[in-house]
Amino acid sequence: EIFENIKEKIADELFEKARCGSKEALHELKILGNNNDVEALSKLAEIYLKGLGGEKQLPKKAMEFLHRAAAQDYPPALYRLGDFYYYGKGGLTVDAKKAVEYLTKAVALGEWKSYELLGEIYLNNEGGIEADGCKVIDYMLKYAEATQQNELPNIFNENKIQQSLITAADIYLNGKCGVTQDGYKAIEIFTKAENWGEIAWIYRYGKAGVTQSGSKAVEYFSRIEDWYSIAEIYAKGCGDIVPNREKAIEFYEKSGISHQSDIDRLTTDKENLQELMTLAGGGNAESLCKLAEVYLKGLNGLEQSPQKAVEYFIRDFEENNNWESENEIRDIYLYGCGELKPDWRKAFEFMKVPPDGGLEIYSDVYFKFAC
């Protein structure tokens, strides 16, 4: 090991001189390379790949040096060849299978940076490499762990770690690449990434088999100071949290004056509620929507009733062709509200194509319907 360290130091010193234009240092590097010194071969590849020290860029020659180093199972060379074959660098033809071959060898020899690229390859399902979510998760988690252990903390490394964890968590959340959807495993990994916002949304809407929990959603939204989302939870109710106008107003105010309209809607006591009901009974579009909102959020002292809200939204959609009301119904069934639990089949029923031909794609609904 001491001998190897000495050889690496010599190669590094020669490389630094060669890249600054020393022909003598370059000559000595070539002598070492002729003796199959893997460090020297790797340095020579760098010189000819980038055209350092006044040398011409000779990608083909650089790849020859790199292949010779890789043939001796030199981990950095194996990693670089895997990277070059996957992206088609250095004049190499794109070849995902060869990339996996070199990267797998590199990983086995301790080249931990290969984990990330292997995860990316198995995620993208291209070049003859079939997508494999289990491998993606395994490689991304190992990459995050190894980066924490081997790299100095900085913003770049922290972002790389977080992104690899998010990639793994997203596979569990959405059931990608042959992996069974599992919201709780997604939460476990999102926790490692400290992605509190994503965890909050999972609990708010009960995604991927997770039990809907307003209190848990509030807990995680609080960590990122998303006061508006908390206000919405208290305004509409969510899982174990029933509508609470005072709490909703408190958090709307905390979120900023830009949401004054939300505060007004909750604090204004409409004395003309009976008149509103009369107008709605006559099919007045605006009144139907307002009355539906009153029941949806339990405003003006009325008990919250998402079921009645749905009835008024349906009337508005059918009688006035109001597509916004259809969107409201779909979201109520998609995420649940009050006594109405999430029902993706009913949500799918209200995903019709509007007159302009547009169609919003709601991945949660389509995924569940496809399954």
Side-chain angles (χ1 to χ4, degrees):
E1 185 178 344
I2 294 174
F3 181 65
E4 291 299 324
N5 289 338
I6 292 173
K7 288 204 305 179
E8 182 178 350
K9 186 176 180 180
I10 292 172
D12 285 342
E13 290 176 354
L14 291 173
F15 172 72
E16 287 303 319
K17 291 179 181 178
R19 71 193 297 268
C20 292
S22 172
K23 300 300 180 184
E24 183 181 348
L26 179 61
H27 179 68
E28 290 185 39
L29 263 181
K30 287 181 178 179
I31 292 174
L32 290 174
N34 288 336
N35 290 322
N36 285 325
D37 182 284
V38 291
E39 294 286 349
L41 289 168
S42 183
K43 301 300 183 185
L44 286 167
E46 189 77 5
I47 288 170
Y48 287 107
L49 183 65
K50 297 181 179 178
L52 302 177
E55 296 297 309
K56 290 183 179 180
Q57 280 186 283
L58 299 171
K60 186 175 180 179
K61 193 170 186 177
M63 291 304 103
E64 288 175 5
F65 286 126
L66 207 55
H67 275 92
R68 284 173 60 190
Q72 299 179 66
D73 288 338
Y74 183 52
L78 291 166
Y79 168 68
R80 294 203 73 187
L81 278 177
D83 179 67
F84 285 9
Y85 272 115
Y86 184 60
Y87 291 110
K89 298 177 184 177
L92 296 178
T93 302
V94 173
D95 191 328
K97 289 184 177 180
K98 278 191 177 180
V100 168
E101 178 186 339
Y102 282 111
L103 291 168
T104 302
K105 282 185 180 180
V107 161
L109 294 169
E111 182 51 74
W112 56 270
K113 291 180 181 178
S114 298
Y115 284 129
E116 182 188 28
L117 189 50
L118 277 169
E120 183 179 334
I121 293 172
Y122 281 107
L123 176 66
N124 290 334
N125 192 29
E126 59 187 19
I129 302 297
E130 187 176 349
D132 188 326
C134 292
K135 286 185 177 180
V136 176
I137 292 169
D138 181 51
Y139 287 136
M140 289 302 184
L141 292 181
K142 285 180 177 176
Y143 174 76
E145 182 181 358
T147 304
Q148 287 175 323
Q149 293 175 350
N150 294 285
E151 292 289 292
L152 292 174
N154 59 52
I155 293 175
F156 177 76
N157 290 331
E158 290 299 323
N159 288 340
K160 294 280 280 184
I161 291 169
Q162 187 175 57
Q163 188 54 57
S164 63
L165 290 170
I166 289 172
T167 298
D170 184 63
I171 290 174
Y172 275 127
L173 181 61
N174 295 295
K176 294 180 179 178
C177 305
V179 172
T180 302
Q181 196 177 30
D182 191 325
Y184 290 106
K185 286 186 177 179
I187 287 173
E188 182 181 333
I189 300 175
F190 278 130
T191 299
K192 292 180 181 179
E194 297 185 357
N195 193 326
W196 312 126
E198 193 64 53
I199 296 173
W201 283 102
I202 292 172
Y203 277 119
R204 179 176 179 179
Y205 295 120
K207 292 184 175 182
V210 172
T211 301
Q212 189 182 42
S213 173
S215 57
K216 284 281 187 182
V218 167
E219 174 189 339
Y220 286 102
F221 277 133
S222 296
R223 295 192 186 192
I224 58 173
E225 299 185 353
D226 186 349
W227 310 125
Y228 185 77
S229 291
I230 295 174
E232 287 284 279
I233 287 172
Y234 281 114
K236 300 176 182 178
C238 174
D240 55 337
I241 288 182
V242 297
N244 185 320
R245 279 183 287 174
E246 288 72 22
K247 282 280 188 182
I249 292 167
E250 174 190 338
F251 284 101
Y252 276 133
E253 289 176 337
K254 199 170 182 178
S255 69
I257 59 173
S258 61
H259 303 299
Q260 186 62 43
S261 60
D262 296 295
I263 299 172
D264 291 342
R265 188 172 63 249
L266 288 167
T267 54
T268 301
D269 182 15
K270 297 185 178 68
E271 296 179 355
N272 63 344
L273 184 59
Q274 186 58 51
E275 182 180 350
L276 187 65
M277 290 182 174
T278 302
L279 289 170
N284 178 273
E286 185 179 357
S287 298
L288 284 167
C289 285
K290 285 184 177 180
L291 192 54
E293 185 180 10
V294 167
Y295 278 114
L296 182 63
K297 298 181 179 180
L299 304 178
N300 309 310
L302 286 181
E303 184 179 351
Q304 185 192 34
S305 177
Q307 184 60 59
K308 286 187 178 180
V310 167
E311 291 173 9
Y312 282 110
F313 279 133
I314 288 176
R315 277 190 57 194
D316 184 40
F317 174 64
E318 292 179 346
E319 296 176 19
N320 302 299
N321 202 31
N322 185 351
W323 292 89
E324 288 301 318
S325 287
E326 189 218 32
N327 291 340
E328 291 285 351
I329 301 166
R330 180 200 55 230
D331 287 349
I332 290 171
Y333 281 123
L334 179 57
Y335 302 120
C337 181
E339 79 271 11
L340 288 182
K341 302 302 178 185
D343 187 332
W344 60 268
R345 291 182 183 277
K346 282 189 174 294
F348 194 84
E349 290 176 12
F350 289 93
M351 293 184 70
K352 302 181 178 69
V353 181
D356 60 6
L359 177 63
E360 293 185 65
I361 303 299
Y362 282 73
S363 59
D364 283 352
V365 178
Y366 274 101
F367 175 82
K368 291 174 182 176
F369 187 80
C371 293

